[in-house]
Amino acid sequence: MDNRAVTADDSARNAEFEARIARGETIEPKDWMPERYRKQLVRMMSQHAHSEIVGMLPEGTGRALAAFGLTESEAGSDAGATRTTACLDGDQWVVNGSK
């Protein structure tokens, strides 16, 4: 639990954040959000990713496993706004971007 004092600025930011949620607006990773909200979001994303990965694991059938991750710090999950690139360099792929 965060024990620091809540300032008037924090209260105003919280109020605006809650208003955005109430309006159904999309909250992007780069947007301000209360720390408790961000921690909960990361926890839920981690649990979801784990269940997706475990659900896709081959069960001795010889099936291949592939993964696709789509988030970037500036683009969120908007596939059209991603900037990461991958180039084949010899027999290896070089990925340039940020997470």
Side-chain angles (χ1 to χ4, degrees):
M1 180 84 176
D2 186 1
N3 293 327
R4 70 185 178 96
V6 175
T7 66
D9 186 49
D10 290 338
S11 295
R13 290 177 112 179
N14 276 317
E16 176 56 28
F17 178 79
E18 293 295 335
R20 289 184 67 194
I21 296 290
R23 290 189 299 265
E25 292 183 23
T26 300
I27 307 296
E28 295 291 339
K30 65 182 179 208
D31 294 340
W32 182 91
M33 64 185 74
E35 189 60 29
R36 70 187 192 300
Y37 184 92
R38 186 176 298 277
K39 285 180 180 180
Q40 178 70 5
L41 186 61
V42 169
R43 186 182 69 78
M44 291 187 311
M45 288 172 19
S46 177
Q47 288 175 340
H48 176 73
H50 181 264
S51 67
E52 290 291 312
I53 292 168
V54 169
M56 294 294 294
L57 290 174
E59 300 170 5
T61 63
R63 295 181 295 156
L65 172 66
F68 178 70
L70 177 64
T71 59
E72 284 188 359
S73 56
E74 297 299 317
S77 60
D78 178 2
T82 57
R83 297 184 193 144
T84 299
T85 60
C87 301
L88 189 58
D89 183 12
D91 62 347
Q92 295 183 354
W93 285 94
V94 177
V95 179
N96 296 304
S98 64
K99 181 79 175 149

